[in-house]
Amino acid sequence: MAPRRIKPILAEIIAALDGIANATAGKTLEDFRGDWLLRHGVERGIEIISEATRHLPDDLTALAPEIPWKQVRGIGNILRHEYHKTSDAIVWAVVTDNLPALRVAVERILEAADQ
């Protein structure tokens, strides 16, 4: 199977990041906990990000060494297979603490991919 093209992968990640950011804007952890659709939509967005990052080559992820790529790639498996153990507080912390930095890193990778 041929490797996937990089720009569509990065676009998928950015679309998921933007979707999560828009859906969670102005929300609190309590809002997140109390809204089934919001919770599951955010988790699905994180799964998409996780899966898409698996297709990024190491030379591009090396441009953002501050991102724990192994964890980003692994969180999707946790959400898919261990959903019954998933902590809303941890998912919310990913949304508020980690995804903004990931967005910056993906933009940097996209710029490098354009060259």
Side-chain angles (χ1 to χ4, degrees), residues 53-74:
T53 59
R54 293 170 178 264
H55 299 281
L56 295 176
D58 291 341
D59 63 319
L60 289 180
T61 58
L63 298 173
E66 72 280 9
I67 300 299
W69 294 106
K70 184 177 179 182
Q71 290 176 312
V72 172
R73 291 173 177 140

Side-chain angles (χ1 to χ4, degrees), residues 15 17 28 45 56 58 63 69 76 91 93-94 98-99 102 108 110 113:
L17 288 166
T28 65
L56 295 176
D58 291 341
L63 298 173
W69 294 106
V91 174
V94 168
N98 304 112
L99 294 187
L102 181 61
R108 188 173 348 132
L110 184 58

